[in-house]
Each structure stands twice: as structure tokens, then as C-alpha cells.
Amino acid sequence: MTLLKAEDISVRDGGTVILEPLSLQLDPGEPLVILGETGSGKSLMAQALMGTLPPELDAKGRIAIGTQVLNAGAPARFRGLWGREIGVLPQEPWLSLDPLMRARDQVAETHALVRGLPRGKARARAGADLAALGLGGSETRYPHELSGGMAQRVAIAAARAGGARIVIADEPTKGLDAARRDDVAALLLTEMGETGGLLVITHDLALARRLGGRAIVLRAGAVVECGATDQVFAAPKAPYTKEFFAADPERWAPRRHAARGGPAVVSAKGLALSRGGRTLFEDVSLEIFQGGVFGVTGPSGCGKSSLGDALLGLIDPARGTVSRRSGNHPNDFQKLYQDPVAAFPRKRTLGQTIADTARLCGARPGEIETLRDRLGLAPGLLARRPGAVSGGELQRLSLLRVLLRNPSFIFADEPTSRLDPITQARVIALLTETTERDGTALLLVSHDAALIRNTADTVLALAAPRPPCRPDAALARRRVASTLH
Amino acid sequence: MSVVEIHGARRPSLPLARMTGATLVVLVVLFALAGPLLVPGDPFAQSLMKALAGPEAAAPLGYDHLGRSVFHRLAHALRLSPLIALAAVATAGAAGLLLGTLAAAQGGWADRILTMLADALLALPGLLLVLIVLAILPGTALGFWAGLSLVLWVEFFRLTRAATRETLASPAVQASRLLGFGPAYLFRTHVWPEIAPMMLTAAAFGTATAIMAIAALGFVHVGMRAPTPELGLMMVELLPYWREAPLALLSPVLATFALLLGLTLLAGSRET
Amino acid sequence: MSALASRLVQAIMVALLIGAATFAMMRSLPGDAAWRIAAGRYGYDNVDAAAADAVRAELGLGGPALPALLQWLGDLARLDFGTSLVTGRPVAAEIAHQLGASASLALVAVLLSLLIGPPLGILAGLRPGGPLDRGLLVASTGLKAVPQFLMALVLIVALAVQLRWLPAAGHGTARHFILPGLTLALGLAAVNARIARDAMARIAAMPFWRFAQWKGLSERQTLIRHGLRNVSVPLITYLGLQFVTLVEGVIIVESIFGWPGIGHALVHAIFSRDVPMVQGTALVLGLGFVVVNAAIDLAVRHLDPRVAA
């Protein structure tokens, strides 16, 4: 029996159609994955199914859940389904739990208020739910005392305690480390079981592949491809799907290694860093060479970004030494930021900021234009402010700005973590090209091990602190620098 | 994102509110400056025969209990306290901006001592400080200027310090420093654009606070001394005659309210 | 712990500032101050040169400034506030006498403001941009532009003079609380309401608010279970900062309504240059701020486990 059937769901913003008519159905025990990049309309689809579209948007279509048939254009009626028929696993589960309430109470209130169990019974059920998810002993913790994965399990227990058989998960791996993706997939599949329904909205290809079932690929509000997930991945038909999948760092062709030449641009010996009294890592030694890409990866909080800052001299190491080759000028060590919007003066146009830099660096006339064309940037972008430019373009503009300095070393700190896969692939390609062409040394830091593995000449994998960081042999299987200990 | 949207939804009413505020302030200032030019008269001249008399051509707002023209006293009062308030805000703003930037840029002991001083001043009611300074310094106007400057610099200092610290710690400033830009450039392109709108808001609020303080102390007889025409003093003098001469009392009340409302609206919405 | 330590530093700084300021006030008293003070103390008929000299010596009105300042601060450190120059009674006793009247007025004002402001603010914050929100914005902006003395004047004219419902001044019965209490409460409520409104709007836009409804809770259940507690944290924090506004209001309102409290005493002391009384009352008000805020720090810590972490 089909749990949910949606027919011809479309969404309009005034006169423009932002989601073309789309039909789907959820069957027990078979996950449905909606895949797409930012702006593909995948979240709109989920919002239309839950009745949570912003009021200025218009939805059309019919949705049948159990015995009820609802009109997507009348979202008020969906409210009664929440918690009882549809459970929502929200993005960023940490922020979705009340910061002032203990974990068990957040689950127990669903049992009590939605299902109508008496208080004591609701608390007992909530305790049992949490224990079943491996959270026994954490019932009385507050959300800030839970890890991201634990918060997610609390959230799913709370979402389903009202008896919902269908789970809708919106970007469930957002903000989670790569290592946690498999746990999320396993959790979702277990919760679905044989009889439940599961709809997952994501841009995370690894998650989609792990979930299996059926998949719909969306682009710009229209369906590009659909079918069994395995089939879609094994033999994508649409050109966009092919490009989308090819942009997955897992599938990148490993980069050809650069020949190592000359003395190290920057090197560290026996480096240890600590933050807030806690040691991030110890005894890291490395050398980064001209024209080479040095990759650093590891889970969040392992100190990979701090390592880059220490190499730039922005923070002082707890122990060990950093030596930088004296370059052409004092400012030839540069940095690219995770959030490029925050790296530009907010209230100045990009053109002004870049012209200031060119003047400061004594750039040749026409150099800005040359670099702009090389990085594939439209001239009109320079008239805008940082907030009005897309992330991919802004990261390329950041690159343009540091290239005006003619740097000998660039530290790129998670430069693509906020970009869509296709844009990410382009930005990383530009970065490596620049490194090879200008003979710059590049330190590339990313949480994405596959990206680092397929891009860097040398890989340093840091582990989560305590136990102290050691380069992880499994991840660093590609010609790990001999200088690592 | 949705938080931004909520605030965004409120934004459209803001320019309108600010325009209304500016209009009110301009109207009051225009009255204070141009009123006595249009209808010449002396704010101090008494004529007991006309005590509490109604409006006439030479005194468009009638007479007070001593037979002085309320119109001219009000115009005079509306020059006096705003002038003191502006002087105090200018002093406090300059001091707060300078010390706030210094504390944020230097850090260390300079920052700690200034913050401790500001925190202590924050615990003291402003009126109390003004009263004590008034008792120390000769001359009421001088006392008000000094006392209000002492009270008001704290807000400018705290705003400047917080915004400058945050800005200096931002990736944008780090990037500019790595590129080799100097402190003057950092201040001009990063710090000042963040502080400037706050300074305008704080200045409008500060002016309103100062005018309120002068009037409040006048109202309880510990501010400006009679026969100086001052807003609070005028109100307390005319309060006993409310039944006989309501317009005489209403004039300073409405003018004060219009001026303060104008300044509050001009300041824009902020969580204080 | 460090929060309490910084409150202690704040208290010491407050005491030092007030000590120094009142010392400066003492030194700036006009030349015949000793004579006047002696007259105030013993009556004009009983004053002679010897009595004036005794006062001069006692208060360090002559002599070098620095030792006198140190002695002044030393007395302060020993909690020796001296005697009132006007009544001759110990300052501590005078203040103990007046504190109760002020505290009860302040408490009534705060409770009244909490009854008016936050409920309206929360309702407005649940529907940002709605009619209640817009109405409240206008009302609170208007109220914020009315200083306490003006509010007092308006209420006196309307409720006491025109309608004759309430006494304009005096102290003693519950009816006497209404006008001064309302004067203070309306100003506080204007700000409370904005704080509650902004906090509620912010919380209603947070993921946990939406998630609570997705779990199946009704809007009312969500408000009671997840709204009120979260709104109370910024509200209480702000209440501490409002203490200064409250004290300023108390100073003015007590003087207007003839309320026999500490604000009234302060204005009197300033007027008659009764420096020890000024110092004593100023200290009580300044340290009151520190104590109230320290208590609020602890309360917030209790409400919000993230602060304690």
C-alpha cells in the first residue's frame, strides 16, 4: 500500500513557475531520494509536501496520505498531519532542539502532547526510544552537551514519537563530517524499517547511494532524471546528471603530480597547536614545495585550519617551529577563506577593494583584466558588493585579489565547502592550475577526504583531538610525505 | 536566514519613521530659531497685569504666572537645552570613538582599565552623576555639559569598542592585513563603515537623553535656576495654573514631546 | 565564577568613583561651608567659630587634597559613612529608614511593567508585522519619548487634577502607590515590550520552534513549552540593565510625588550640599545595580545551561 502519493505538485512565485509539475509516491520500505543542487527546487518540493511553503508562494497539486486527500494550495490543513502522519527530520538537528530543555523531555513531550500518554508513561517511553537509538545515559543532557550525531538521533526520536510512519529528511548530512554520513544513512534506513516511508532531500551523492531505493534528480525546478537509485548512479542518462555526478570528488580523476623543485616554501618541525588549553595535534612536521599542492584533511575540530594559520604566522604554535622562505616581499603568504563574503569589506564594491589591492601591490595596468579573464569572471561583477555575488564567483574574486600580490604561498581554508559540487570542481581546478602555472605553493584544507586525495600531491590526515593527532595511514595512502612522523 | 527576513520585513517602515523624526526635529528647531525673529519679544520681561492671560499678537502662546510671554520663553528654552545637549554629545562622541577604537586596537591594560571604568559608570544612574557634577562645577550650563559628557561617552565607547573588536577579528581584516594594508586603510574601509551608522543612532539617542535630563532636573528644582527659561522649569512653574492657563502648560509639554519623539524616531530602531 | 568576580570589580570601581566624586564635591563647597554645616547641625544660635573649625577639621575642608582624599576613601572602606550634615544622624540610619519606601515603590513598578509589557510583546512577536506588532511599535516608541517627569505630569493632571480619582502626592496607603508606580511602570513596559517582542520574533524564526510544531505540538503548546522560557532569558538580562532607568525614575518620581524614599533624600542632600548623605545614597544606588545584576547573572545561569557551560 502506498503511504504517500503526490500528483502534479507545482510551485509558483507570482507569475514564474519555480517548480514544474512533479509526481511522486512513497512506498513502505523503499526510500525516495530527491537529488539536486542549491536552487534546484528540491526543498520547495519537501515544503509543498509538508505545507510549510512561505505564504507568498503558490502551490498546486493533490497529495494523498493514508486515507486523506489534501490540496497543496491549502497548506493550513497539513498541520494536523505533522507528528501524526509525517515526521520531519530537520536540517541542523542541533538547532532544532530547544537549547533549554533536556533531551528526554523533548521526546517525552511528543508522546504526552501528541499521542496523549500520561506524563510518567511518556517519560518512560521517551527513555526507551533514546536507549533504542544508543542514547541510554544521555537522557538528561541538554542539546549543547550532545554531539551532532546524537542530536540527530534525539531529533528523529522526537519527530516520530507522535506515531508518524513517513519521515521526511531535509539535507540530513548538512554540517556533518564525511565519516558520519554512513551513520545517518543507517539511522534513516533503520527508522524506516519494512513498513515506514522515507523521503530524503539532499545534494550529498554518497548519502543517496547508501540509501538506495528510488531517486529523482532535479535541476532548476524541473525533473532531469528518475529511476532506481542504483540504476541512476550506474548509468546516468541526462547530461546534467552526468556532470553532477562527475563533480563528486570521489569520482575525480586523480591529479598528475607536480615535480618537486627547489627548497621548501614553508616548513614546520615538531609542530603542536592548542586552543583553549586543549591540544589539537602534536608533533607534526611538513614541508610544502613550490608548484605543489599540500592537502590537509580531518574531522571538524582537529585543528586543520589552525595549522594553516600557524604556517601563515597568524597564531603561535604551542611547540615546534615554522620556517618560511624569505620571498619577494613581506606579504607573499596569502589566504583564501571558507566564507568569501566575510573576507571582503562589507560595504565596498568588489571593484574598489580590488583596485585598492592593485594600487597597494603596484600591479601593472591591465593586470586585473588579464586575471579576470583567466579566472572566467564577468566584468560586471566588480560593480557589486560582496553579498550580491554567488559563492563560486566570489571565491574566484578572492583568488584574483591574492594573485595581485604575486604570492609564493596560498593557504586555501575549506575554499569550496559552501559551494555546490559542480562549482566546487571548477574552483578547485582553477586553484590547482594557478599553483602549477605560477609556481605557487598551495596548502589546501578540506573536510572532504576524497577531494584532498584526488587533488593533493601530499596528504596530511589529522584525527580528532585526544587521542593526539597522528597522520592516518588509511587516508594518506597516496604517496604520503616522507617528512611525516 | 529567517531572522534576517523578519527584520527585513520591518525595514520598509524605517525610512518613513526616520523622515518623520527628522521633520519633527527640524520643525522644533525652526520654531526656536525663527520664532522670535517673526514675533519679536523678551522672554524675561514681566507684566503682572497680564499674568496667565491668553494668546495675543505679541505673545502667540499667552502669558505665564508672572506675565512673561510663553512663546518667547519657550523659544529661548528650546535653544538652551538642545545646545547644551549637542555640545555634550559631540564631546562624548569624540571621546567615546577615540577611546573605544584605542581599547579595541590596543587591548591589554588600556582596554581593561577603560572597560572597568565604563562598567562602573554604567552602574550609576546618569542623573546622579549629573547632579554631583553640577554641585562641583560653578555655572549650571557648564555643569550640565560636563556631567552629561561624562555620562554619555560610555555608550559611544561601548559601541565603538564592540564593533571595532568584532571587525578587527573578522576574516576581512585578516585578509587585508595579509595583503599588507596599514591601520589607516583598515580603519577607513573596514571599521568606520560599521561604526558610522551606529554613531548616528547613538548621537540621536544621546541628545534625547541629555535634553530629558536637563528638563527632569529643572522640573524637580535642581537644574537650571529661575528665571532662566528652561523646559522642565517652565512646566513645574506652570503646573499649579493648569486650570487657569492650560495652553501655557501645554506649550512646553508638547514641544518637549515633539522634540524627544523626533530624536527617538531619527535614531531608528535599536534594542534599547 | 569569573562573572561574579567581574561584578566584584565593578562594585569596587563604583565605590571608588562615588568616593572620589563626593570628595570633589566636598572640596568645592563654598568658603563658608563649615559655618553653614555647623549651623545646620547645631542650629544658628549655637554656632561659633570653634564649632565651625571643628567641622572644618572633621571634614578635611582645609589642608592638602591627597591625604584628605585617602582619609575619605579610608572611611569609606571601613563602611564609615559619617553623619548627615543636616540632621546630624548617622547616614546609615537615615538610609535604612528610606530604603524600604523606595524598594517597595520600585518593586510595584517592575511588577506592573511586567504585567503590561512582556505579554503584549510576546503576542506581537508571534506575528511580526501584524496589526498588534505595528500598534505596539508606535505605542512603545511614543512612550519611550516621554520622560518620567513628563509622564508624571500628564498622569497628575489627568487622574489627580482633572478626574480627582487619585491623590497627587503623599505616602501611606495603597492608593498612593498608583500614580508614582504607573509613571515608572509605563516607561519600563515600553522597553520590556520591545525586548520581549524582538526575542519572541527571533525565537519563532529559529529551527527549534518550527521543529516543535513539526513534532505535532499546537502553537499554544509550542509557546508554553518552548517560547516562554526562551523569551525570559533576554528579558531578565535586560531587566538588570533597566535598573539604572528605574533608579533615575525613582529619583525624579519620588521628588515629584513627595515619596519619602532614597531618591527624594538624594535630591535633598544635593540641594543642601549634605555630602555624606549624597555619598551614602549614591553608594546604595550604585551598589544596588551591581547586586541586582549579580543576582540576575545567577538566575540566567540557572535558566540557561549554556551560560554555565
Side-chain angles (χ1 to χ4, degrees):
Chain A
M1 198 203 101
T2 297
L3 291 168
L4 180 151
K5 198 174 165 94
E7 285 172 1
D8 292 329
I9 307 293
S10 65
V11 180
R12 300 162 72 91
D13 180 6
T16 33
V17 178
I18 48 177
L19 183 67
E20 308 264 0
L22 168 61
S23 302
L24 56 81
Q25 71 176 52
L26 270 187
D27 292 316
E30 188 183 53
L32 176 65
V33 183
I34 302 186
L35 260 174
E37 294 186 290
T38 312
S40 62
K42 60 186 193 301
S43 289
L44 288 176
M45 181 65 205
Q47 287 174 321
L49 290 180
M50 295 187 291
T52 56
L53 280 172
E56 60 272 18
L57 299 185
D58 255 348
K60 275 207 180 79
R62 280 177 354 120
I63 296 163
I65 294 175
T67 54
Q68 302 185 57
V69 179
L70 297 147
N71 174 4
R77 290 201 42 216
F78 284 74
R79 184 146 191 161
L81 303 174
W82 296 350
R84 294 161 182 87
E85 299 285 342
I86 300 177
V88 179
L89 182 62
Q91 292 185 9
E92 298 167 291
W94 233 339
L95 301 177
S96 293
L97 298 175
D98 185 338
L100 307 187
M101 196 183 260
R102 297 178 194 277
R104 180 176 50 201
D105 297 340
Q106 311 215 21
V107 180
E109 71 174 7
T110 317
H111 281 298
L113 298 173
V114 180
R115 228 183 228 175
L117 294 185
R119 256 180 165 212
K121 219 169 182 179
R123 285 170 69 85
R125 281 294 298 272
D129 290 350
L130 291 177
L133 289 165
L135 288 171
S138 301
E139 298 96 338
T140 57
R141 291 207 204 173
Y142 287 101
H144 74 275
E145 297 166 326
L146 301 171
S147 71
M150 289 162 90
Q152 196 161 43
R153 280 175 278 164
V154 174
I156 202 166
R160 298 204 59 211
R165 285 209 294 160
I166 300 168
V167 170
I168 299 182
D170 189 6
E171 296 283 10
T173 52
K174 188 175 173 184
L176 290 183
D177 287 323
R180 298 251 339 115
R181 277 183 199 153
D182 288 351
D183 298 349
V184 173
L187 173 69
L188 289 172
L189 290 174
T190 314
E191 283 294 308
M192 176 185 67
E194 298 288 305
T195 54
L198 175 64
L199 176 70
V200 178
I201 289 112
T202 189
H203 71 271
D204 186 335
L205 300 175
L207 175 73
R209 218 169 347 192
R210 252 320 248 105
L211 288 170
R214 300 183 63 78
I216 298 176
V217 182
L218 282 184
R219 185 201 185 189
V223 176
V224 175
E225 188 158 353
C226 62
T229 307
D230 295 346
Q231 292 276 289
V232 172
F233 272 97
K237 290 188 210 83
Y240 171 77
T241 318
K242 286 180 189 154
E243 193 190 359
F244 184 38
F245 289 175
D248 182 7
E250 292 279 0
R251 299 192 173 200
W252 290 0
R255 197 174 64 90
R256 194 174 45 78
H257 293 301
R260 180 188 295 187
V265 175
V266 62
S267 60
K269 268 209 176 68
L271 198 64
L273 286 186
S274 57
R275 189 169 50 203
R278 206 175 53 128
T279 303
L280 295 170
F281 57 75
E282 293 181 300
D283 205 18
V284 166
S285 298
L286 53 84
E287 287 183 295
I288 304 178
F289 296 96
Q290 199 179 329
V293 179
F294 190 96
V296 181
T297 187
S300 57
C302 76
K304 53 190 187 300
S305 296
S306 305
L307 171 66
D309 284 346
L311 294 181
L312 286 178
L314 295 172
I315 55 175
D316 294 324
R319 274 188 309 284
T321 53
V322 172
S323 40
R324 288 178 282 274
R325 192 187 68 186
S326 55
N328 317 328
H329 50 85
N331 302 103
D332 69 342
F333 274 50
Q334 291 297 329
K335 178 172 173 180
L336 294 176
Y337 294 80
Q338 175 171 22
D339 179 9
V341 181
F344 281 92
R346 221 156 54 91
K347 299 187 174 175
R348 233 171 148 69
T349 66
L350 293 159
Q352 277 176 312
T353 304
I354 284 172
D356 292 345
T357 313
R359 207 173 312 120
L360 179 78
C361 305
R364 294 182 311 278
E367 192 168 349
I368 295 179
E369 289 71 20
T370 315
L371 283 170
R372 195 189 63 202
D373 295 343
R374 191 176 123 194
L375 298 173
L377 289 160
L381 293 174
L382 292 180
R384 301 197 209 157
R385 292 195 180 181
V389 173
S390 80
E393 286 163 336
L394 198 54
Q395 199 58 280
R396 279 182 280 162
L397 283 161
S398 307
L399 182 59
L400 191 162
R401 182 169 64 153
V402 305
L403 288 180
L404 284 171
R405 249 304 172 205
N406 195 15
S408 55
F409 174 77
I410 297 175
F411 161 34
D413 185 8
E414 297 271 15
T416 56
S417 68
R418 302 194 175 194
L419 305 181
D420 282 318
I422 294 174
T423 319
Q424 163 168 291
R426 281 184 201 143
V427 169
I428 293 288
L430 270 173
L431 267 176
T432 52
E433 256 172 58
T434 303
T435 309
E436 286 162 10
R437 177 175 170 160
D438 299 357
T440 317
L442 178 69
L443 172 68
L444 183 61
V445 165
S446 172
H447 66 280
D448 188 333
L451 184 153
I452 291 292
R453 193 173 61 228
N454 288 326
T455 309
D457 300 307
T458 309
V459 175
L460 170 63
L462 294 172
R466 206 177 354 167
C469 262
R470 299 256 174 247
D472 181 338
L475 276 168
R477 62 191 149 99
R478 281 193 59 205
R479 201 160 63 107
V480 172
S482 56
T483 42
L484 291 177
H485 299 286
Chain B
M1 276 325 267
S2 22
V3 179
V4 178
E5 280 159 24
I6 299 277
H7 284 271
R10 239 168 65 203
R11 277 284 174 270
S13 69
L14 208 86
L16 179 69
R18 281 207 155 155
M19 284 298 289
T20 317
T23 312
L24 277 174
V25 173
V26 166
L27 282 178
V28 173
V29 170
L30 216 60
F31 166 76
L33 295 181
L37 298 179
L38 296 177
V39 187
D42 181 355
F44 295 98
Q46 297 188 9
S47 149
L48 289 175
M49 294 292 291
K50 291 189 168 170
L52 303 177
E56 58 179 45
L61 295 173
Y63 292 90
D64 70 2
H65 58 298
L66 296 175
R68 298 172 294 194
S69 162
V70 173
F71 181 86
H72 295 96
R73 290 185 67 72
L74 185 60
H76 201 276
L78 285 172
R79 291 181 192 177
L80 179 67
S81 42
L83 197 66
I84 298 176
L86 281 179
V89 165
T91 314
L97 187 64
L98 199 71
L99 295 174
T101 320
L102 178 85
Q106 290 295 107
W109 276 106
D111 183 26
R112 236 169 290 172
I113 289 174
L114 282 169
T115 309
M116 253 163 38
L117 185 65
D119 280 352
L121 283 170
L122 201 68
L124 292 173
L127 286 181
L128 172 67
L129 282 172
V130 173
L131 278 172
I132 293 180
V133 174
L134 274 175
I136 295 172
L137 289 181
T140 319
L142 181 72
F144 268 120
W145 168 75
L148 289 168
S149 302
L150 183 67
V151 173
L152 294 174
W153 77 274
V154 177
E155 181 70 2
F156 288 97
F157 168 78
R158 286 162 52 88
L159 284 174
T160 311
R161 176 176 174 273
T164 309
R165 265 169 79 104
E166 195 187 323
T167 311
L168 289 183
S170 70
V173 167
Q174 192 186 67
S176 286
R177 279 192 173 139
L178 280 172
L179 287 164
F181 287 106
Y185 181 86
L186 295 183
F187 183 81
R188 193 160 47 83
T189 54
H190 293 273
V191 178
W192 179 247
E194 300 295 327
I195 306 181
M198 280 187 223
M199 291 290 111
L200 178 70
T201 299
F205 266 119
T207 310
T209 309
I211 292 172
M212 278 189 200
I214 298 172
L217 294 185
F219 195 79
V220 295
H221 298 288
V222 284
M224 289 289 173
R225 299 294 164 82
T228 314
E230 191 276 320
L231 296 168
L233 206 53
M234 286 178 72
M235 290 183 219
V236 75
E237 284 169 355
L238 290 163
L239 179 56
Y241 310 106
W242 156 249
R243 284 174 180 282
E244 294 87 338
L247 181 66
L249 175 60
L250 275 178
S251 310
V253 167
L254 291 180
T256 309
F257 178 66
L259 182 57
L260 294 176
L261 181 65
L263 286 168
T264 312
L265 290 174
L266 192 60
S269 77
R270 207 185 43 154
E271 293 186 20
T272 31
Chain C
M1 208 45 233
S2 73
L4 283 185
S6 71
R7 288 290 177 206
L8 190 66
V9 172
Q10 192 184 21
I12 293 169
M13 287 293 291
V14 164
L16 275 177
L17 262 180
I18 290 173
T22 45
F23 176 77
M25 187 176 168
M26 178 67 97
R27 300 286 291 195
S28 69
L29 289 181
D32 60 344
W35 194 277
R36 223 184 56 192
I37 290 163
R41 224 182 257 189
Y42 311 116
Y44 272 97
D45 298 340
N46 305 323
V47 177
D48 53 16
D53 282 344
V55 167
R56 199 167 284 128
E58 179 200 336
L59 300 176
L61 286 175
L66 194 61
L69 173 63
L70 291 179
Q71 193 195 334
W72 182 265
L73 293 177
D75 286 347
L76 181 58
R78 288 196 306 277
L79 302 178
D80 176 2
F81 302 136
T83 53
S84 164
L85 302 184
V86 174
T87 63
R89 289 179 40 187
V91 167
E94 292 272 351
I95 291 177
H97 183 66
Q98 295 142 351
L99 197 55
S102 292
S104 54
L105 177 59
L107 196 67
V108 166
V110 169
L111 292 179
L112 211 53
S113 81
L114 288 179
L115 282 177
I116 305 169
L120 287 173
I122 288 171
L123 288 177
L126 283 172
R127 299 270 180 277
L132 178 63
D133 188 29
R134 268 178 284 170
L136 192 67
L137 180 64
V138 171
S140 70
T141 309
L143 273 180
K144 268 193 281 186
V146 180
Q148 288 121 344
F149 80 90
L150 202 55
M151 178 67 70
L153 183 143
V154 170
L155 291 179
I156 288 176
V157 165
L159 299 180
V161 179
Q162 283 301 103
L163 299 170
R164 296 179 196 279
W165 283 352
L166 293 163
H171 171 68
T173 70
R175 280 163 59 82
H176 288 107
F177 271 100
I178 299 177
L179 277 185
L182 202 60
T183 303
L184 291 172
L186 285 174
L188 295 177
V191 179
N192 275 346
R194 292 307 299 163
I195 302 295
R197 181 258 172 226
D198 287 348
M200 189 65 242
R202 205 174 54 240
I203 286 158
M206 280 190 183
F208 73 78
W209 182 267
R210 215 171 22 210
F211 183 57
Q213 310 203 351
W214 285 346
K215 290 198 300 194
L217 270 57
S218 70
E219 189 153 348
R220 212 175 122 258
Q221 287 168 333
T222 310
L223 175 64
I224 290 168
R225 305 266 316 164
H226 300 286
L228 299 184
R229 191 186 255 259
N230 277 288
V231 169
S232 72
V233 173
L235 198 60
I236 290 177
T237 308
Y238 209 80
L239 215 53
L241 294 177
Q242 271 192 303
F243 185 82
V244 169
T245 321
L246 181 63
V247 168
E248 287 191 348
V250 165
I251 294 175
I252 294 299
V253 163
E254 285 186 353
S255 302
I256 295 173
F257 290 95
W259 194 267
I262 201 164
H264 194 212
L266 174 72
V267 170
H268 252 273
I270 294 260
F271 199 68
S272 55
R273 299 291 189 269
D274 185 350
V275 181
M277 270 304 283
V278 172
Q279 174 173 267
T281 44
L283 267 180
V284 169
L285 298 177
L287 295 182
F289 175 89
V290 180
V291 170
V292 164
N293 277 281
I296 281 174
D297 289 347
L298 291 176
V300 166
R301 204 173 263 262
H302 179 74
L303 275 173
D304 189 343
R306 288 168 300 177
V307 179

